[in-house]
Each structure stands twice: as C-alpha cells, then as structure tokens.
Amino acid sequence: MDVFRIEGPVRLSGRVAVNGSKNAALPIMAAAILAEGRSSLAGVPRLSDVRVFGDLLQTLGCRVERDADGRLEIDATVIDNPVGDYEIVRKMRASVCILGPLLARYGRAEVSMPGGCAIGDRPINLHVRGLQELGATIHLKNGYVIAEAPDGLRGASIFLGGSFGSTVLGTANIMMAATLAKGRTVIESAACEPEISDLANCLNEMGARISGIGSPRLAIEGVPRLHPVRYEVIPDRIEAGTFMVAAAITRGELKLVNCRLDDMMAVVDKLRSVGVAVEPDESGCTVAGAEHIRPTDVTTQPYPGFPTDLQAQLMALLALAEGNSVVIEKIFPDRFMHVAELNRMAADLRKEGPAVIVAGVKNLVAAPVMASDLRASAALVLAGMAAEGTTIINRVYHIDRGYERIEERLNPLGAKIYREDTPAP
Ligand code: EPZ
C-alpha cells in the first residue's frame, strides 16, 4: 500500500495548471447514459474515482475508453444491465447518480444502497423522493434500491431541500431523470454548485431544455430523446482551492492557470481575510502566502458559501494562524477525521459538536498520520509541507481518488513528497 513521505518545511513557487473537476466529471459521465451513441468528454481527470465510475458504466453495457488525446469516450449505444453493483457502489458513493439516467433511459434501475462513509451518514432519501415524484415506484430489496417506471417518467414540481440544505447529487439525479420525462419539471431548492450548472449545460448540449441554471429553481421541459455530446468539463475549484492553501501554508507564491475565480468567491474572500494575497489574471490567479496568518471564523455552506470540500485544508492553514479560529461544518457535521491527525502534528484543535476551535500554533511538527478521506488527506499533505521533519501519510489511496498524482504536481513547485510502497501488514 502506498504511503507518502513528505520532507518539510518547504516554500512553493511556480505555475500549476488546475485539472478538470472530478465532481463535475462524474455526473456528466452518468449523463452519457441518457443518449444512444458515443459521447466524448475533455478535461476528465485521471483519478481512481473516474476509473471506478468508468468500470461501473461498463458493467451497465457502455464502452468506456480514453482516446489518443486523452478525451474520455463513452459509447452508451447498449445499456443491457441496469444494475449498480454493491462491489462498485461501496467504493464510491457518487455511483448513486446513475439511478436517474438509467430510470429515464431504461425504465428500470437497481443500485446498491450506498452506506455511510468517513465523512458521516450519507442518506439518499431526497434522491428517492424526487424520483418518486417523477412517477417512479421505488423499493428496497437485499440492500438495493429498485426503481421502476415502465411507462416513463412525468414532469412534476419537486422541493429538494433537506435538513442540511440542497443536495448536489440529488439535484443531478432528478435533473437528469427529468430531461426525458413527459412535460415540465420544476426543482425548487436545487443545488447551485458550479458542477450542477456544468451538468445542466452539458445536458442542454445533448438536446435537453433546462432553464434557471445556477439558480435554486431549475425548470426542465422534457424531450423525447437526447443525443451524444462533445463536451469539456470545468476546472476543479476544490483542487484550485487546495493549491491556494498550499501556497499560503508554505508562505510561497503560486500562479494557478485554468482556474475560474468566479466559482470560488467565498474561498478567495476567506483567504484574503487571513492575509493571503489572491490576484486575478486572464487565465486564473496568483496566490501569495503571508508571513503572518490571521485567525478567522468559517462556516461551510452550500454554494456560493464556503465549500465543505475545502474545510479540512483551510483548517490546516488556520492551525498556524496567530490566534484562535472557529470552523463550523454545516454540511457534514461529522467531517472532522483530520482533527486528531493534525493534532498528532502538534496542531491545537478541539472539536465541539459540529465545530472545531483552532488555537493557532507557531509550528507544526512532522509525524506519521493516517489519511481517512479525500479532503482530510489533502489537509495532511498541506500540513506535511509546512511541518518541520518527515511526515509519513498512510493510506494515500484516499488522496488518489481526487487529486491526480499530487506529488508530481507539487514537487516541481518545491515540495518534497515521495510515494513509497510499503508491504501490507
Ligand atoms: C457532493 O456529494 C460531492 N460529491 C461531495 O464531494 C461534497 O462534499 C458534497 O456534494 C457537498 O458539497 C460529488 O459531487 C461526487 P449532498 P453529495 O447530497 O451530493 C444531506 C469530495 O470530497 N442529504 O449535497 O453526496 C447530506 O447528508 C466530496 O469530493 C440528505 O439529507 O452531497 C448532507 O448533509 C465528498 N439526503 C447534505 O444533504 C439526501 O438524499 C448535502 O449532501 C442527500 C443528501
């Protein structure tokens, strides 16, 4: 099993290109199911989650391959096994977003019920309710959600808000299903994340009729069929934010290209408020760390608020601030697996329910730590680059789910991150 050995502290400088967005690419790959024929996607990152999702599409009957230019080609001419198998779904919760497109195209879908994961309980009640309102019958059998609509789906008005706000993949599922429903669907309290807008834009290129894109009220006029698409997914705002924190925590300076600052206003605002300089330019921005980081309070929220997917990384930075910060997690209240690991590196973090009090320390100190989920692992890499000594991060397969060979991206900028293979215990 791979581990990272990270030598620190380092100061990063240079230019880095942000990859295409994982969380936009996965639902867009699912959208390819909706149209017979071959879709071609650019900007799909080479991540283990993308490979697993490709495997899932192949089990349904699709053909999935990279072409010579690195585009992802998905041929969905044949869908003959509308089943999301437990062995794949348990590896990746995003698999649930095949439910809507399968139901719309095939009239039936069986998808293993996703379990909880390291960031907490992750129910799918809103996905189920939305599909039921579109006319599907749904029941649970042997751990599988079985959804049926033999006579097709019909448009409906659906309120998709839950106790923790809107649902990203729930909105993706219902929006995809509604594209082929008879009549008009309105989704109220739809997720406004840029990844949902990207999916909606892609669906419109496929012939769907979606309006209100980017707002909490999406209107979808059903059409009889969609056609395959050539599309390029947006840059990954979470990867961009991780690189921004990397510049800040190492007191370095990075130029980010292929970065859409307009999707990241809450992040940019928060970084500026603690003293980090973010200067926009034509292709992205330049981010420069400060010698002194100011403390702050931050609450994660649905877009356009501060994203939960950058909470752990920002916490690593705030661990080095000159004073006390408070981090409140409003999307996944248990998403704090990084807290104990950062404390092993001499951070001073105290968890209080869905909040963490961060008492800034002068230095972080290297230690062996355990990656638990994707973003928590990113926080540990960031902390490792700032800490004095040799940090060992175990279970780096978590980070490979969402960051493509992160050591090969950061080392040319001055990081010293070495991937080493250790025999399984
Ligand atoms: C997406 O997950 C992202 N995953 C997550 O990215 C991200 O953390 C999350 O949105 C929030 O931004 C992908 O896009 C593949 P939600 P999703 O449904 O859609 C509750 C990463 O690190 N809820 O928006 O599964 C839920 O428990 C990750 O890349 C219900 O109550 O998240 C949570 O509190 C991991 N019922 C809140 O809504 C439901 O049916 C938001 O979850 C669905 C969700």
Side-chain angles (χ1 to χ4, degrees), residues 22-23 93-94 119 121-127 164 166-169 308-309 331-332 335 374-375:
K22 166 180 85 80
N23 289 348
R93 198 186 172 284
I119 68 177
D121 288 346
R122 300 184 67 185
I124 59 161
N125 58 312
L126 297 169
H127 302 235
F164 296 94
S166 52
T167 161
V168 175
L169 291 178
T308 173
D309 291 347
I331 309 291
F332 296 112
R335 193 175 197 176
L374 168 54
R375 309 302 172 185

Side-chain angles (χ1 to χ4, degrees), residues 303-344:
Y303 188 83
F306 191 90
T308 173
D309 291 347
L310 283 170
Q311 177 256 108
Q313 299 91 316
L314 184 72
M315 194 182 295
L317 177 65
L318 296 179
L320 288 166
E322 295 181 348
N324 295 340
S325 303
V326 178
V327 176
I328 301 175
E329 177 53 68
K330 282 264 176 98
I331 309 291
F332 296 112
D334 295 325
R335 193 175 197 176
F336 287 129
M337 299 286 278
H338 43 287
V339 166
E341 300 303 305
L342 288 171
N343 280 345
R344 301 194 74 245

Side-chain angles (χ1 to χ4, degrees), residues 65-93:
E65 60 196 13
R66 291 267 179 186
D67 75 3
D69 298 328
R71 298 181 73 95
L72 192 74
E73 305 282 321
I74 301 174
D75 187 338
T77 305
V78 178
I79 302 279
D80 53 9
N81 178 41
V83 181
D85 192 71
Y86 173 72
E87 283 310 316
I88 296 186
V89 177
R90 76 182 173 85
K91 289 189 203 154
M92 194 181 54
R93 198 186 172 284

